[in-house]
Amino acid sequence: MQTAGFLSGKRCPVVKANTQYYNMSVKKHYDVIVIGGGITGAGVARDCALRGLKVLLLERYDLTNGATGRNHGLLHSGARYAVTDAEAASECIKENMILRKIAAHCVEETNGLFITLPEDDLAYQKKFIDSCRNAGIDARAIDPQEARRMEPAVNPDLTGAVLVPDGAVDPFRLTVYNAYDAQLHGADILTYQEVTGFIKDDRGRVRGVTTYSHADKSEDSFYGTVTVNAGGIWGTLIAGMAGAGINMFPAKGSLLIFGHRVNNVVINRCRKPADADILVPGDTICLIGTTSTRIPIEECDNVRPTPEEVDLLWREGIKLAPSLADTRIVRAYAGVRPLVAADNDPSGRNISRGIVCLDHESRDGIPGLITITGGKLMTYRLMAEIATDMVCRKLGSITPCTTADTPLVGSDENARPDKEKPAASTYRAAWGRHGSNIKDIASGSAKDKSVVCECEEVSVGEVSYAIETLGARNIVNLRRRTRLGMGPCQGEVCACRAAGLIAKADNCADKAKKDLASFIQERWKGMYPVTWGATVREAQLTSYLYQGLCGLDHYASESREERPVIQGGRNNEI
Amino acid sequence: MQDKNFQECVKCTVCTAYCPMAAVNPSYIGPKQAGPDGERYRLKDKAFYDYALKYCLNCKRCETACPSGVRIGDIIAKAKLESESFKPGLREMILANTDLMGSLAVPFSPIVNKALGLDISKKAMDGILGIDHRRTFPSYASETFVHWYRRKAARTQKKFERQIYYFHGCYANYNFTKLSKDFVRLMNACGYGVRLLDKEKCCGVALISNGMGKQAARQGKINLASIRKAGAPVLTTSTTCTMTLRDEYPHVLGLDNADVRENIQLALKFIYEKVESGEIKLAFRDDCRKRIAYHTSCHMERLGWWIYATRLLEMIPGVDLRILESSCCGISGTYGFKKENYEYSQAIGKKLFDNIRDAAADIVATECETCKWQIEMSTGFEVQNPICILADALDVEATRALNGVR
């Protein structure tokens, strides 16, 4: 077996990374500045770029750092919302069908079951199916025995089952490839660049933004005719800097990741949406979620799953698939939903998961600024379309939206390798992650083919591709772009190899060591709430290797201090 | 419900460090990735790691090394059985059906043995079947052990107070009947009558490794039914048969043997434990001046019972026992017979062959029949099963007297 080497490379005096993201030359003036590198921001950037606008995307840390990277990865059929929110349901099913078409490499067509358990009211099923059909969702009641054949992991006590076109979607890849696609169409993408304020002219029009780079600790400013605030839950703070108020209600949701796939079909409960009633197979793992707790906006940067939530998720999960009871849990995490109150409802009683697009010119008298928020991962494309339509109106452009038909880079199914042909598992895995972009992943030499992450089958070639093409500059970036470090060992085996490759790319071992320390620390954070069984042994071995053997403690404390704390303590821990 | 043993893996990779194939073949990703890592991926798509499975020897050294109790070899064996790309061909049918080939060959053994040794037939098997021409086939006996037993031994067995059953396996029945006859002699001298099972089929290990899981399971059911019916200890002289009956049946073939598993014992372990408890007494002649190099076969290593074999051998006066560093001989049953595996097979065994030559022993002792073929072919040293060595050195009359046999 060949594997990548451990840290090597000289110490470099100047660490300059992340600023020249995607090796672009940054301009100063743009048609559109998009704030926020989540799926919404990436989607808006792509839509703008496809319509020929000069666009700059600014992200405070890494792409998908917020809610985008902390959800189920469920390709909703809309069935979950059919009974309670017909509009959201019909948006979902339309976008579901579009994403299957335009982002095939980010989507897995698994189908979904809505099961009724003995404690649930079977009468709900009829109402559920009727509502689904009204929303245009192909929902079909099937025999519980057939459901068991379709998904052997499902609770055998089920009394009813409905089959819906649910699926799984990888939010990391979807976002990264939206950003990459935007870049291929002329957009500039800047990460680790936090917006610190707005530049307004004397008539109060937003003309641009001032920024702080977390990578090279410098301040900068950029100018744009229209600025789109796609900051998710943090969008309320961004709008606040411009003087506009948005009534947001952050709702924390926790999830558990299991070490392997227990189910191959999404399993939901056929009842009114509640906690921990969706089990999604995502790539090599499966996840159960979520919970829902209102939290104050100040806590959004530091949400963590509580022991009670872990317990609830596990107990409820077992009801969906009893096999979860003795399945290894590798991680627990939490995200924040950007729920928005309708403008005419300051109390927040009428919170919508629907899309909210605010024109701050007409709403608050602040021309040049738009906020796009609310919505869901599922409807990011539609959100981007709505926001870009508004941008175009402001710029006097009439170019129509084409994102519903234009495939995302990498989704060319014709390039799919022959399934029957023997192929290295790294190749198979990389195809699953990058689709037809795999043509850009080097696999010629023994080194390119050698394995970095063994749990997730990431090769040196794939890591190099993520560094050179997808803008990865540290191990967390790599994780989001390749799944490196997401397997059961949580970086134990691959992190040092990845750090070696990063060190080589930067020609700097010192930065890579600090990066390694913070990556291991970040992985431990997610393991901590679920440390029992094999996970505890894994964590012990990891700690022995990195603390005991490599002595990374020293670097861990240094790297923590390095984390910049600005803007009222909005120091994001990933 | 799925077998989740693979999730106990903490990726320490010690299995790959101990894998004889990974050591000589850089194309093999090793047991960790083909086994527990691969299992995780196969839950998503069966095609993952398919190409890697063919390299596994099923030596189980990975399982012996694993500190987390992951049944790595079983996971790989099972994945291989479920894989689409391991459909057996004519060669696999011939190599794996040891039972059938044995019963066909024994009646014509002089001709068959002669024919198997001819260069022309070796070339033909190489060209047509893909069985490497450099291999020496074990010769067939002129009479099967079972036939001999019925003719010569069956009648006298009932008179013994204590009774055990003997699972002889294919090799001791069709090829090397000295082993099975020596076993009967040894047990009789110790005061045990040897009975045969109602129906004994090949344990199926070769069927498992050649992709014939269904046939292996059918034979396994017959064997387990006979073992259940026996209701007394079932002793074996083959380590591989023992491991298959005890461990591969439940883990790879899904046959529940929990009720009889402890009844299935390697004869050497049984005898040693009885000697320890005083129920068996052994007396040896004192003319056995030999240096014996003991080779721990992979499946003996997996069973963890080599200590019983070596302790027994050490009881023979005059024996100078050298225990060789435990390493795979490379043949791994039918694996090494296949043309494409020959080079790997010999490369894996090289360390052992060198160690055997360095030990300058008179004979090599090991329980595994295929190790015997490989070592004899590759080093020229004579290889004996410890049972035969014990039986040869035994003072039969004295032993009978000590154990109260009239």
Side-chain angles (χ1 to χ4, degrees):
Chain A
M1 185 179 57
Q2 285 142 351
T3 51
F6 190 54
L7 290 184
S8 60
K10 292 182 292 247
R11 287 175 81 91
C12 55
V14 185
V15 179
K16 196 171 168 102
N18 297 319
T19 42
Q20 297 294 305
Y21 194 71
Y22 295 136
N23 296 324
M24 61 179 214
S25 56
V26 182
K27 295 179 280 287
K28 275 288 180 188
H29 293 272
Y30 292 87
D31 294 329
V32 190
I33 293 174
V34 181
I35 306 171
I39 186 62
T40 313
V44 172
R46 176 173 186 249
D47 201 338
C48 288
L50 283 177
R51 297 199 214 188
L53 302 175
K54 280 198 294 176
V55 55
L56 169 70
L57 176 76
L58 296 169
E59 160 56 42
R60 147 176 99 136
Y61 295 114
D62 186 19
L63 300 175
T64 76
N65 194 44
T68 300
R70 298 150 191 266
N71 55 67
H72 251 125
L74 172 61
L75 187 79
H76 275 287
S77 61
R80 183 173 172 82
Y81 307 115
V83 174
T84 51
D85 188 342
E87 193 188 342
S90 108
E91 277 170 10
C92 276
I93 188 64
K94 280 180 200 138
E95 291 301 311
N96 179 309
M97 293 304 152
I98 291 170
L99 286 182
R100 284 167 198 253
K101 212 166 57 197
I102 65 156
H105 60 314
C106 305
V107 164
E108 199 186 330
E109 301 185 357
T110 62
N111 277 332
L113 289 171
F114 275 75
I115 61 162
T116 308
L117 292 179
E119 65 209 75
D120 305 330
D121 181 10
L122 191 56
Y124 187 81
Q125 199 188 63
K126 192 184 174 308
K127 189 177 171 190
F128 172 76
I129 295 173
D130 290 345
S131 308
C132 283
R133 295 207 170 136
N134 287 338
I137 302 159
D138 178 18
R140 183 166 62 88
I142 60 170
D143 185 67
Q145 290 310 316
E146 194 187 334
R148 285 184 66 187
R149 274 193 297 276
M150 195 179 285
E151 179 46 73
V154 77
N155 190 333
D157 299 336
L158 81 170
T159 58
V162 182
L163 184 66
V164 298
D166 276 348
V169 57
D170 188 298
F172 300 105
R173 278 170 240 160
L174 191 62
T175 309
V176 168
Y177 277 118
N178 263 285
Y180 181 47
D181 202 285
Q183 190 219 348
L184 292 176
H185 288 91
D188 288 338
I189 316 284
L190 268 183
T191 54
Y192 296 90
Q193 196 85 10
E194 178 159 3
V195 170
T196 52
F198 285 95
I199 303 164
K200 289 185 180 177
D201 64 14
D202 46 9
R203 280 172 299 174
R205 166 176 283 272
V206 170
R207 291 289 183 191
V209 293
T210 55
T211 61
Y212 174 83
S213 164
H214 291 288
D216 59 9
K217 320 276 176 276
S218 63
E219 291 178 2
D220 212 336
S221 52
F222 299 93
Y223 299 91
T225 315
V226 180
T227 300
V228 179
N229 168 19
I233 194 67
W234 295 274
T236 176
L237 302 171
I238 293 166
M241 286 193 282
I246 306 174
N247 210 4
M248 289 254 198
F249 293 91
K252 175 184 138 188
S254 294
L255 298 101
L256 298 183
I257 306 179
F258 292 85
H260 60 266
R261 281 169 90 122
V262 165
N263 54 327
N264 286 309
V265 176
V266 177
I267 308 176
N268 305 263
R269 281 283 278 281
C270 192
R271 61 174 188 197
K272 241 183 108 207
D275 283 349
D277 55 2
I278 314 177
L279 181 66
V280 183
D283 215 317
T284 47
I285 51 102
C286 61
L287 339 110
I288 182 79
T290 63
T291 58
S292 187
T293 324
R294 292 274 194 89
I295 57 163
I297 186 86
E298 301 76 43
E299 285 178 20
C300 287
D301 276 329
N302 265 312
V303 287
R304 287 183 186 206
T306 64
E308 293 74 25
E309 285 169 339
V310 170
D311 195 55
L312 174 91
L313 289 165
W314 186 66
R315 278 174 205 289
E316 287 296 313
I318 293 167
K319 291 182 190 166
L320 294 174
S323 162
L324 291 179
D326 59 354
T327 299
R328 176 166 168 185
I329 307 173
V330 291
R331 214 176 162 76
Y333 66 102
V336 183
R337 299 177 188 86
L339 303 185
V340 192
D343 265 354
N344 54 6
D345 175 33
S347 72
R349 270 192 299 272
N350 258 323
I351 290 176
S352 162
R353 293 193 184 206
I355 300 163
V356 176
C357 187
L358 303 173
D359 179 355
H360 292 290
E361 181 171 9
S362 57
R363 182 179 179 265
D364 308 288
I366 308 166
L369 182 64
I370 290 171
T371 291
I372 178 77
T373 189
K376 289 175 289 293
L377 171 66
M378 269 312 287
T379 54
Y380 87 91
R381 195 210 57 83
L382 182 60
M383 293 168 77
E385 180 177 339
I386 293 169
T388 311
D389 282 349
M390 191 182 276
V391 169
C392 285
R393 280 199 297 278
K394 293 196 176 296
L395 293 173
S397 162
I398 49 158
T399 319
C401 176
T402 57
T403 53
D405 301 307
T406 314
L408 207 55
V409 59
S411 68
D412 180 7
E413 281 291 301
N414 295 328
R416 178 176 280 280
D418 186 359
K419 213 178 153 91
E420 299 308 314
K421 226 178 89 195
S425 289
T426 44
Y427 187 82
R428 276 185 197 282
W431 166 265
R433 291 189 277 263
H434 305 288
S436 50
N437 293 312
I438 200 163
K439 66 182 187 314
D440 301 329
I441 298 180
S443 61
S445 70
K447 191 189 166 194
D448 291 332
K449 282 188 280 196
S450 63
V451 181
V452 183
C453 171
E454 296 173 29
C455 298
E456 298 293 345
E457 282 293 329
V458 183
S459 66
V460 169
E462 191 178 341
V463 166
S464 306
Y465 168 74
I467 292 173
E468 285 154 21
T469 309
L470 301 180
R473 289 293 176 272
N474 59 40
I475 312 177
V476 169
N477 296 167
L478 274 180
R479 170 172 72 76
R480 294 186 173 129
R481 284 152 184 79
T482 66
R483 284 194 68 80
L484 177 142
M486 282 182 166
C489 87
Q490 293 285 297
E492 173 195 282
V493 178
C494 62
C496 57
R497 293 175 181 160
L501 292 167
I502 296 235
K504 202 149 191 198
D506 289 347
N507 197 22
C508 175
D510 212 41
K511 173 182 155 281
K513 281 184 206 166
K514 286 175 192 162
D515 185 25
L516 177 58
S518 70
F519 182 73
I520 293 294
Q521 194 59 35
E522 176 262 320
R523 292 284 89 187
W524 164 240
K525 252 173 93 167
M527 292 168 91
Y528 176 72
V530 292
T531 23
W532 60 78
T535 301
V536 106
R537 291 190 297 117
E538 193 85 68
Q540 270 184 323
L541 182 57
T542 309
S543 123
Y544 168 72
L545 288 174
Y546 287 99
Q547 279 183 297
L549 196 61
C550 302
L552 276 183
D553 274 11
H554 168 67
Y555 285 98
S557 55
E558 267 185 41
S559 66
R560 267 198 293 276
E561 281 163 18
E562 265 206 357
R563 282 260 154 119
V565 180
I566 58 164
Q567 290 295 319
R570 279 201 280 133
N571 171 23
N572 189 302
E573 293 279 339
I574 301 153
Chain B
M1 208 175 265
Q2 65 189 173
D3 182 358
K4 286 182 225 155
N5 173 261
F6 71 91
Q7 67 176 357
E8 298 304 315
C9 172
V10 294
K11 319 295 169 200
C12 69
T13 319
V14 70
C15 53
T16 298
Y18 273 85
C19 174
M21 179 51 87
V24 300
N25 179 359
S27 311
Y28 183 40
I29 50 174
K32 169 182 159 287
Q33 273 190 279
D37 284 4
E39 199 60 14
R40 205 171 146 257
Y41 259 100
R42 283 188 286 266
L43 292 174
K44 186 185 170 198
D45 180 351
K46 287 259 177 268
F48 271 100
Y49 297 89
D50 212 38
Y51 68 101
L53 301 173
K54 65 170 181 278
Y55 294 119
C56 174
L57 295 165
N58 199 30
C59 72
K60 309 277 192 211
R61 284 190 184 263
C62 47
E63 294 186 9
T64 310
C66 180
S68 304
V70 182
R71 296 185 299 268
I72 308 159
D74 293 344
I75 290 170
I76 296 173
K78 215 170 154 187
K80 227 161 134 180
L81 285 182
E82 285 164 13
S83 159
E84 289 297 314
S85 55
F86 289 92
K87 292 291 161 248
L90 180 61
R91 175 181 71 176
E92 282 69 28
M93 304 269 191
I94 289 175
L95 288 175
N97 277 295
T98 45
D99 239 350
L100 179 67
M101 298 316 287
S103 11
L104 290 176
V106 166
F108 313 102
S109 59
I111 307 165
V112 173
N113 291 343
K114 189 95 180 169
L116 284 173
L118 290 176
D119 271 358
I120 179 143
S121 39
K122 285 190 173 187
K123 289 239 168 67
M125 285 197 289
D126 190 299
I128 299 166
L129 293 172
I131 294 172
D132 198 279
H133 65 274
R134 286 162 289 192
R135 279 279 161 217
T136 313
F137 265 86
S139 58
Y140 286 100
S142 52
E143 181 187 22
T144 65
F145 162 69
V146 173
H147 199 264
W148 171 86
Y149 176 87
R150 293 207 180 112
R151 203 160 53 81
K152 291 266 190 178
R155 270 173 293 115
T156 56
Q157 299 305 315
K158 289 189 183 119
K159 69 172 187 187
F160 292 95
E161 243 175 75
R162 296 180 286 186
Q163 298 280 323
I164 53 96
Y165 283 81
Y166 179 36
F167 187 97
H168 47 76
C170 299
Y171 179 65
N173 188 30
Y174 299 113
N175 305 92
F176 193 61
T177 51
K178 176 179 179 346
L179 171 59
S180 37
K181 290 173 190 168
D182 277 353
F183 172 71
V184 174
R185 212 148 56 84
L186 180 64
M187 293 314 290
N188 284 174
C190 297
Y192 283 83
V194 176
R195 312 278 288 262
L196 298 188
L197 293 170
D198 228 22
K199 269 186 190 154
E200 179 188 321
K201 294 276 177 190
C202 166
C203 70
V205 71
L207 293 168
I208 292 172
S209 56
N210 284 289
M212 288 168 254
K214 280 192 188 133
Q215 190 189 340
R218 273 201 306 276
Q219 296 185 187
K221 277 181 198 153
I222 294 171
N223 285 335
L224 286 177
S226 300
I227 291 168
R228 270 186 200 111
K229 199 175 163 202
V234 177
L235 303 189
T236 58
T237 45
S238 159
T239 41
T240 299
C241 294
T242 317
M243 188 201 70
T244 307
L245 294 168
R246 286 171 57 97
D247 300 331
E248 300 229 312
Y249 276 10
H251 299 148
V252 179
L253 299 179
L255 302 176
D256 184 9
N257 66 353
D259 56 330
V260 289
R261 185 172 179 270
E262 286 316 305
N263 260 357
I264 307 165
Q265 292 284 5
L266 194 61
L268 289 162
K269 178 174 187 273
F270 180 86
I271 296 168
Y272 178 81
E273 284 172 348
K274 295 293 175 199
V275 170
E276 272 286 272
S277 66
E279 290 166 74
I280 285 181
K281 294 182 179 65
L282 295 175
F284 294 100
R285 299 197 313 273
D286 59 0
D287 58 352
C288 180
R289 309 251 165 265
K290 269 185 196 155
R291 177 180 282 181
I292 300 176
Y294 180 81
H295 160 59
T296 316
S297 71
C298 298
H299 293 165
M300 188 60 146
E301 187 75 64
R302 176 67 184 121
L303 289 167
W305 294 344
W306 58 273
I307 191 74
Y308 303 114
T310 53
R311 282 284 164 86
L312 282 171
L313 289 173
E314 280 171 339
M315 287 176 193
I316 304 172
V319 161
D320 173 14
L321 187 71
R322 303 286 167 99
I323 300 175
L324 297 165
E325 184 191 332
S326 175
S327 64
C328 179
C329 76
I331 190 169
S332 195
T334 58
Y335 186 91
F337 280 87
K338 296 171 190 168
K339 201 174 167 178
E340 68 275 20
N341 299 335
Y342 184 85
E343 300 293 339
Y344 290 134
S345 184
Q346 297 312 102
I348 290 169
K350 190 179 178 303
K351 190 166 99 184
L352 177 68
F353 308 150
D354 290 347
N355 286 341
I356 287 173
R357 289 191 194 100
D358 290 349
D362 299 307
I363 56 166
V364 177
T366 194
E367 302 78 14
C368 174
E369 48 270 25
T370 63
C371 290
K372 175 178 156 77
W373 311 336
Q374 169 79 334
I375 295 168
E376 287 184 342
M377 186 196 90
S378 310
T379 68
F381 277 82
E382 181 195 347
V383 182
Q384 284 286 7
N385 190 304
I387 291 283
C388 296
I389 298 173
L390 289 168
D392 286 347
L394 198 72
D395 185 332
V396 178
E397 288 311 314
T399 304
R400 285 167 69 98
L402 283 171
N403 293 298
V405 181
R406 277 173 287 117

